[in-house]
Amino acid sequence: METAIVSPFQYSLIYNAFSFTFATMAAATIYLWFGRSQVSSAYKNAVTISGLVTAIAAYHYFRIFESWESAYHYQNGVVTATGIAFNDAYRYVDWLLTVPLLLIELVLVMRLSREETVQKGWRLGLAAALMIVLGYPGEIAADIPTRALWGTLSAIPFVYIVWELFSGLGKSIDRQPEAVRGLVKQARLLTFASWGFYPIVYMAPYAQITGPEAQTVIQIGYTIADLVAKAGVGLLIFAIAQRKSEVEGHGTPHTA
């Protein structure tokens, strides 16, 4: 992506957003992995993967933060480009790894039958990876038609994932212990809401937002979506795992 000369306010806003997100993802990772001891063995994998998602995100946000620092020189209230391009590809590498895992952690915490877990995990994981791969050419495209083409192709697996979340997993949610159904539905809804935010940000250039303004909208928008989709959903997955461990530990039967 070509480096746009942002204003001092825009530079500081994005700089602080990257710093905050790195710290949040790192803290969420520590919390989730230490929290594994508070859930039963049936849900440890779901919590471990939740922590893995935030760990991968923390690493990539650290690299994004470094790249942002390298792309600009900020001194005496003036921002100048260093000539080193800001590397936004870190986001897509991160999403290629974390987005499939986000869906897999949701499937795992539901504790479906082994066959259903494998089937849904593979289908959703592959659809998520395909969505990211198809979206990247549009993200780096210099013209709107090319961006629109790849964005439309990327929307096909996205629609399939949404259908699976609300139709394919709907019946499975109804079979969850009553005490956790609300939390599982919240996790599903939060996943959908945060993912729905990505295409809105992706379409920012369609609204004739260009240059530093587009850079700011895209970076802040994607960062907010990442915080919700990874740290937010991860904490919900942990809450579900903890609640189900308590319910099932007290003799409430689990219906698979």
Side-chain angles (χ1 to χ4, degrees):
M1 178 179 290
E2 184 180 350
T3 302
I5 305 298
V6 294
S7 69
F9 172 75
Q10 292 168 332
Y11 173 84
S12 297
L13 180 64
I14 296 172
Y15 179 99
N16 291 326
F18 290 162
S19 177
F20 175 79
T21 305
F22 164 66
T24 300
M25 296 296 185
T29 300
I30 295 170
Y31 180 81
L32 289 166
W33 282 348
F34 274 95
R36 289 179 74 254
S37 61
Q38 300 178 40
V39 304
S40 66
S41 58
Y43 304 108
K44 288 188 185 298
N45 282 341
V47 176
T48 299
I49 290 177
S50 294
L52 183 60
V53 166
T54 52
I56 294 170
Y59 166 75
H60 283 111
Y61 265 95
F62 177 70
R63 297 306 303 271
I64 291 171
F65 179 81
E66 284 188 319
S67 181
W68 186 254
E69 278 195 308
S70 299
Y72 297 100
H73 181 66
Y74 183 28
Q75 187 174 15
N76 299 325
V78 178
V79 179
T80 55
T82 62
I84 301 173
F86 172 58
N87 186 1
D88 210 16
Y90 287 126
R91 286 197 183 280
Y92 274 80
V93 174
D94 175 83
W95 292 341
L96 187 60
L97 295 171
T98 59
V99 171
L101 291 176
L102 283 167
L103 292 170
I104 291 171
E105 73 184 37
L106 182 58
V107 172
L108 285 175
V109 82
M110 293 176 68
R111 198 182 176 188
L112 308 174
S113 67
R114 182 179 179 83
E115 181 181 1
E116 196 173 4
T117 297
V118 172
Q119 287 180 350
K120 289 188 181 299
W122 273 107
R123 287 204 302 260
L124 288 170
L126 289 175
L130 182 61
M131 177 179 67
I132 301 305
V133 170
L134 290 174
Y136 183 65
E139 187 70 63
I140 62 175
D143 60 284
I144 296 299
T146 302
R147 190 179 186 92
L149 171 64
W150 288 103
T152 301
L153 292 174
S154 179
I156 296 172
F158 174 74
V159 170
Y160 168 74
I161 291 169
V162 172
W163 178 84
E164 276 284 2
L165 285 175
F166 286 90
S167 179
L169 287 178
K171 295 178 181 177
S172 301
I173 290 176
D174 292 337
R175 299 199 302 268
Q176 294 294 301
E178 187 176 354
V180 298
R181 284 178 201 162
L183 285 175
V184 176
K185 288 179 180 178
Q186 286 177 28
R188 180 182 65 173
L189 185 60
L190 193 60
T191 299
F192 168 69
S194 59
W195 283 28
F197 198 58
Y198 290 104
I200 294 174
V201 177
Y202 184 91
M203 292 187 294
Y206 300 173
Q208 305 302 315
I209 302 175
T210 59
E213 289 74 22
Q215 177 85 301
T216 304
V217 169
I218 289 171
Q219 297 308 324
I220 296 299
Y222 282 154
T223 298
I224 292 172
D226 278 344
L227 282 167
V228 175
K230 296 169 185 176
V233 173
L235 293 176
L236 255 182
I237 292 296
F238 174 72
I240 293 167
Q242 195 174 37
R243 181 80 61 84
K244 290 185 74 172
S245 298
E246 293 171 357
V247 170
E248 293 168 11
H250 283 82
T252 301
H254 171 76
T255 304

